Amino acid sequence: MSDDNGTPLSPEQQGLRDQLKEGYNLIGKSPIKVDGMAKTTGETKFADDLSLPRQLFVKLHRSHVAYARIKSIDTSKAEALPGVVAVLTGESLPIPFGILPVSQDEHALCIDKVRFIGDPVAAVAAIDEDVAFEAMQLIHVEYEKLDPVFDPAKALLNNEEPLHDYGDDGNVHKRVSMNFGDVEGAFDDADLVLEEKYFFEGNTHLPLEQHATLAWREPDGRLTVWSCTQTPHYVHKAMSNVLEMPPSRVRIIATPNGGGFGGKSDPFNHEIVCAKLALITNRPCKIALTREEVFYCHRGRHPTLMNMKVGFRKDGQMTGMHFQSLLDGGGYGSYGVASTYYTGALQTVTYKLPNYRFDGVRTFTNKPPCGPKRGHGTPQPRFALEVHLDRAAHELGIDPADIRLNHLCPPDSITANWLKVGSMGLGPCIEKVVEASGWRERYGKLPHGKGLGLACSSYISGAGLPIYWNAMPHSGVTVQLDRGGGVAVFCGETEIGQGSDTVLAMCVAEVLGIELEDIRLVVGDTHTTPVDLGSYSSRVTLMMGNAAFQAAERAREMIAKAAGERLEVPSVRLRFAENRVFDVQDPEHGLTFAKAVQLAETKFGTIAVAGSYTPPATPGKYRGAGVGPSPAYSYSAAVIQVDVDPETGETVVEKIWVAHDIGQSINEMLVIGQVEGGVYMGLGEAIMEEMTYRPNRFGVHKIPSMLEYKSPTTYEMPPVETFLIEDPDPNGPFGAKEVGQGPLLPIMPAVANAVFDAVGVRVDEIPVTPDKVLKAMTSKDKRYGPTKYPDLKITDTMYVKTLEQGGDGTSPRPPKAPTSSGKKVSS
């Protein structure tokens, strides 16, 4: 016999395993059962039973129905299975949790209802994974089925029992309506008004590493949890709350992630369940989700139906926009409130837009919950806007590049919805990809079936406000110097493959003039590091980097004072480089860095300093202004060349030119890797990826595996020519801005625009699949896309004066507000 890794077992080990499978232990051959009656039979004796394996394996029993009340849970067969150590049901974890304070709607295990196929109901801890899996299947749950809702348009009608009791209106989770300026007047003043509908199908993150968690109870009773999470700070908050433990007794360690992309940004059921089982069994407990389970955890891209109406002048200047979005949120809140706002927040930061109205609705449906996928909430509206601009350019007889270049949002400006734009490198991005691709010479002139498409985008470099609003720093860094010249850097940031560890070390090394090899990092540990809010919203480089810069500068000032006294040189004349501190006027006159640290420690005592970062205040003060502000915005532009087969509709992307306004590269290799990674992910969303469900069994995922869920391979990945536009932003460390998410956004609309150039049809849905291209080619209007848009039932619109109207960023509400213009123009 062998263990789970294939290693042969000794006779003694095999005998122990046989005993365990027969149910032998010191608690009378019965497992621990924890349920609504809070039975913990033999828990104390179990803790002393050293014959049991040190580590237990956890499996979750998940719902096989989309929407139902839980009538009863029978765990008796699972409890009787030899090798089972503990069984857990929802009543033992009654406190709800969620990533947002306004959406605390999840339980670690469902108590009253299940809301999608895959919702966890019970958990088992056993001596190995096989036993745990078998026991999980022996749990029987009796359900009272309820009428599910799968379509957001039907969810708006509220004919079914609401999934939750806290939404804005039944199964409407969030309804938002904001008007900035005079949108109706802007349409009246326009030379052209275009209105069209768009749809962006949902998709998932597909990280190579599945979710996994290991938890154990320390000898002193503290709880330590290792988890592949992007947000250890927020997992810590949820864990201590649900388990009713003081935060000081809970430690979360974020392991280096094999990819996240937003899918590991929530606190999850399996993390809390694993921790609870570790506490009650007093054994380390481990859970690793299967790939199918990851699909049901989801938190991916919201399927979004959009309606866009824009007024244009003859020169292509937008006069006003009315944008509507309907989001399919799935079974729980997740980041959904923020996602709803994000579908409208960033429409104003790329091009001049003096008047703007946004209506957004997110509904609950009986599907896996959606959340933040790379670009959180913004790829869907960006697709609609960039395709809409392409339409307008053709209607007005303007080159699609010029309609963008001639009307860019000015740098150092305030947008209609009160976002402050700082540095703005979109113009050079467009010019670079236009020149490199031969756009001026080739656009509209290639043979039938071949085409070019252009699109642009913008994204935040971290959110201006934390998830839980407070005035504390968003990121903290501690720098500790030792007498040998080494530097220890402590920060709660989480490495998810984006290179944040390298950026942290480089920021400190650059300020102190030392090598990366001299730096030791301690990161992602809520017990030993200052708080960093997490790896999401492209915030880490700017916020962590600024905190690291501040901490290193403070250490440098102390060293410079001590070194200056020894060298008899003013500290302002000292330079730190090549592990030395020396006089810039006489480089030979200096000290080693280690000697300078010793002098500083002699003068000041142990050198340990902290730095932190809090974003600047934002000009918007209206309700909802917290979503969209950022210390800096990045910009991207892409030109894509496609080859479309008119007979099959198959679209092959032949080459991509992409330019990204990075502000300033801290590590150019990492930046290029992030740009091209975003391009790859955007390409998958553009032509193949979709989170779809079986039409004959609603709520059952159609393709919950990497074998069937199609994403690009090296065969589909075309050559990519990458350009970095460097225009240092004063708010970034060394001038740096984000790169992790922005370059994805222009890829989907650029593909759709290239298909139009190739075969003259509009596919107003993502992904652009062969069947849609063929249907567009055979339709009368040469288009494939949504034709109807439901009534969002907007009854209360918030009106905010723009800066040009003399507004101050607040929202005085008029006595009576119109719900919609009702004015139909050309489509």
Side-chain angles (χ1 to χ4, degrees):
M1 293 292 289
S2 61
D3 66 11
D4 296 325
N5 296 316
T7 304
L9 296 175
S10 67
E12 293 79 11
Q13 289 173 322
Q14 184 56 50
L16 174 60
R17 174 168 284 195
D18 291 341
Q19 285 180 331
L20 288 168
K21 287 193 173 183
E22 291 171 4
Y24 171 83
N25 57 43
L26 296 182
I27 54 175
K29 298 185 179 180
S30 64
I32 298 172
K33 183 190 179 205
V34 181
D35 59 13
M37 299 181 68
K39 288 171 63 179
T40 54
T41 306
E43 182 177 341
T44 303
K45 289 183 180 180
F46 178 83
D48 298 329
D49 183 6
L50 300 181
S51 67
L52 289 169
R54 283 298 301 160
Q55 180 173 292
L56 302 176
F57 295 82
V58 178
K59 284 291 181 181
L60 299 178
H61 179 94
R62 296 178 181 272
S63 168
H64 64 275
V65 296
Y67 194 30
R69 288 190 181 88
I70 299 173
K71 296 186 70 177
S72 65
I73 303 175
D74 183 358
T75 61
S76 58
K77 291 182 179 179
E79 294 167 38
L81 185 69
V84 171
V85 178
V87 177
L88 193 66
T89 55
E91 283 86 351
S92 293
L93 293 163
I95 297 174
F97 68 95
I99 185 63
L100 300 185
V102 295
S103 301
Q104 302 282 301
D105 60 358
E106 298 186 61
H107 286 92
L109 296 168
C110 297
I111 297 175
D112 55 346
K113 289 181 181 179
V114 293
R115 293 171 173 86
F116 66 94
I117 291 176
D119 224 354
V121 178
V124 173
I127 62 169
D128 61 35
E129 205 162 11
D130 290 339
V131 173
F133 184 80
E134 184 179 352
M136 175 266 291
Q137 292 182 307
L138 292 174
I139 296 173
H140 176 73
V141 183
E142 184 181 356
Y143 294 108
E144 177 190 338
K145 290 187 178 180
L146 300 171
D147 291 333
V149 57
F150 300 108
D151 183 352
K154 292 182 179 179
L156 287 169
L157 303 177
N158 280 318
N159 291 331
E160 291 79 22
E161 180 174 322
L163 273 70
H164 300 280
D165 59 6
Y166 73 93
D168 282 358
D169 178 22
N171 279 323
V172 173
H173 178 202
K174 188 65 181 176
R175 182 179 278 119
V176 179
S177 182
M178 300 183 288
N179 190 100
F180 306 92
D182 183 5
V183 176
E184 290 306 306
F187 291 152
D188 292 336
D189 292 341
D191 298 307
L192 170 71
V193 178
L194 284 179
E195 185 171 12
E196 195 52 88
K197 299 163 186 65
Y198 301 91
F199 179 67
F200 200 114
E201 182 57 271
N203 49 67
T204 199
H205 313 83
L206 216 68
L208 286 180
E209 181 194 27
Q210 294 123 261
H211 298 252
T213 298
L214 173 66
W216 83 302
R217 187 178 193 170
E218 303 274 2
D220 64 0
R222 296 174 190 265
L223 173 69
T224 297
V225 178
W226 292 262
S227 195
C228 50
T229 176
Q230 295 177 233
T231 54
H233 171 68
Y234 291 117
V235 173
H236 178 261
K237 191 177 187 71
M239 190 82 70
S240 60
N241 186 47
V242 174
L243 298 179
E244 299 182 273
M245 294 182 67
S248 61
R249 308 281 295 172
V250 176
R251 180 184 187 185
I252 307 297
I253 300 173
T255 59
N257 281 211
F261 314 115
K264 298 170 183 175
S265 297
D266 287 67
F268 281 98
N269 316 73
H270 65 272
E271 294 170 315
I272 297 172
V273 167
C274 192
K276 179 68 174 180
L277 286 168
L279 290 172
I280 65 173
T281 63
N282 204 30
R283 290 291 183 271
C285 289
K286 176 184 176 181
I287 184 168
L289 302 190
T290 66
R291 178 61 60 179
E292 183 173 358
E293 287 181 296
V294 174
F295 272 85
Y296 290 118
C297 281
H298 193 36
R299 318 298 160 127
R301 189 87 68 219
H302 285 75
T304 306
L305 180 64
M306 298 163 283
N307 189 79
M308 177 167 281
K309 180 179 178 182
V310 182
F312 295 90
R313 299 197 189 279
K314 291 179 181 178
D315 64 356
Q317 169 65 53
M318 289 186 285
T319 62
M321 176 191 297
H322 184 187
F323 178 73
Q324 297 174 291
S325 61
L326 176 59
L327 289 74
D328 184 344
Y332 291 96
S334 184
Y335 284 81
V337 172
S339 307
T340 306
Y341 279 104
Y342 268 125
T343 60
L346 300 188
Q347 299 289 65
T348 60
V349 297
T350 42
Y351 314 109
K352 295 176 185 175
L353 183 59
N355 304 284
Y356 178 51
R357 174 171 170 167
F358 165 58
D359 300 330
V361 171
R362 184 185 192 261
T363 63
F364 289 122
T365 58
N366 294 110
K367 301 175 187 175
C370 298
K373 186 187 174 185
R374 200 173 195 169
H376 187 196
T378 65
Q380 304 96 316
R382 179 56 53 181
F383 166 70
L385 174 56
E386 294 297 320
V387 174
H388 214 68
L389 281 175
D390 202 69
R391 270 194 166 88
H394 283 271
E395 289 272 352
L396 296 167
I398 302 173
D399 188 301
D402 291 332
I403 201 172
R404 293 167 169 85
L405 280 169
N406 295 340
H407 305 290
L408 296 174
C409 181
D412 302 311
S413 62
I414 304 292
T415 66
N417 59 337
W418 292 91
L419 301 180
K420 188 179 188 308
V421 175
S423 63
M424 207 282 191
L426 182 55
C429 287
I430 298 173
E431 291 166 352
K432 184 63 74 172
V433 295
V434 163
E435 178 187 4
S437 64
W439 174 274
R440 303 288 187 187
E441 299 77 27
R442 302 198 301 140
Y443 179 69
K445 302 171 186 175
L446 296 177
H448 184 68
K450 290 186 177 290
L452 295 172
L454 169 67
C456 303
S457 69
S458 177
Y459 199 65
I460 60 175
S461 298
L465 291 171
I467 291 174
Y468 287 78
W469 287 16
N470 59 69
M472 291 183 284
H474 293 210
S475 186
V477 171
T478 301
V479 171
Q480 179 179 311
L481 281 61
D482 67 51
R483 300 173 187 180
V487 177
V489 182
F490 301 82
C491 180
E493 62 91 3
T494 307
E495 174 63 71
I496 59 172
Q498 83 280 41
S500 60
D501 284 0
T502 301
V503 170
L504 174 60
M506 288 185 71
C507 286
V508 174
E510 181 71 17
V511 174
L512 297 181
I514 60 177
E515 301 299 320
L516 292 179
E517 292 82 358
D518 297 316
I519 291 180
R520 303 181 303 281
L521 297 182
V522 180
V523 297
D525 185 334
T526 62
H527 238 42
T528 61
T529 65
V531 168
D532 178 88
L533 297 183
S535 290
Y536 63 94
S537 294
S538 277
R539 56 174 300 282
V540 180
T541 291
L542 188 140
M543 298 192 182
M544 172 204 73
N546 275 321
F549 185 89
Q550 185 184 80
E553 279 285 317
R554 288 172 174 171
R556 177 184 167 130
E557 288 176 10
M558 299 172 75
I559 298 169
K561 284 182 181 179
E565 290 177 2
R566 170 61 63 90
L567 297 172
E568 298 180 338
V569 172
S571 59
V572 294
R573 267 177 41 195
L574 293 179
R575 183 181 177 189
F576 289 61
E578 298 179 346
N579 286 79
R580 294 180 67 241
V581 181
F582 56 88
D583 184 354
V584 293
Q585 296 182 6
D586 182 9
E588 297 301 317
H589 185 47
L591 303 164
T592 65
F593 180 77
K595 181 60 178 177
V597 170
Q598 293 168 19
L599 292 171
E601 187 171 340
T602 301
K603 182 177 179 62
F604 298 106
T606 301
I607 308 297
V609 294
S612 59
Y613 178 76
T614 302
T618 59
K621 308 300 179 187
Y622 57 88
R623 181 180 176 85
V627 177
S630 179
Y633 297 91
S634 74
Y635 293 89
S636 304
V639 169
I640 292 181
Q641 180 173 316
V642 301
D643 184 355
V644 181
D645 187 333
E647 295 185 0
T648 66
E650 182 182 6
T651 299
V652 175
V653 176
E654 296 184 320
K655 187 165 182 179
I656 298 175
W657 297 264
V658 61
H660 182 70
D661 166 25
I662 183 62
Q664 175 66 53
S665 297
I666 291 178
N667 183 308
E668 188 173 287
M669 182 181 295
L670 288 178
V671 171
I672 292 174
Q674 285 293 292
V675 171
E676 295 183 1
V679 168
Y680 164 82
M681 186 169 281
L683 179 64
E685 296 192 31
I687 62 176
M688 62 181 70
E689 293 191 37
E690 51 186 341
M691 187 89 166
T692 54
Y693 299 85
R694 298 182 186 179
N696 59 334
R697 291 189 65 195
F698 287 115
V700 178
H701 201 296
K702 188 176 181 181
I703 42 177
S705 76
M706 291 186 74
L707 178 65
E708 297 158 302
Y709 181 92
K710 301 304 178 186
S711 63
T713 65
T714 53
Y715 178 77
E716 287 86 14
M717 187 65 182
V720 178
E721 198 168 340
T722 301
F723 305 95
L724 301 182
I725 305 301
E726 294 189 317
D727 177 17
D729 191 287
N731 284 336
F734 307 102
K737 299 197 287 189
E738 81 85 32
V739 66
Q741 306 191 57
L744 173 146
L745 274 66
I747 303 305
M748 294 76 75
V751 167
N753 291 338
V755 168
F756 175 76
D757 185 45
V759 291
V761 301
R762 293 285 181 191
V763 178
D764 292 332
E765 288 194 5
I766 292 296
V768 180
T769 52
D771 58 311
K772 296 174 185 177
V773 174
L774 285 179
K775 289 175 181 176
M777 293 178 69
T778 57
S779 68
K780 290 183 180 180
D781 59 357
K782 300 298 179 184
R783 173 186 180 268
Y784 182 90
T787 58
K788 297 179 180 179
Y789 201 84
D791 181 3
L792 298 183
K793 300 183 179 180
I794 302 297
T795 59
D796 189 13
T797 299
M798 178 176 61
Y799 285 77
V800 181
K801 286 185 177 181
T802 64
L803 185 64
E804 287 71 17
Q805 291 178 314
D808 60 2
T810 60
S811 54
R813 193 179 298 274
K816 203 169 184 181
T819 58
S820 64
S821 68
K823 180 180 176 181
K824 288 285 182 182
V825 198
S826 63
S827 292

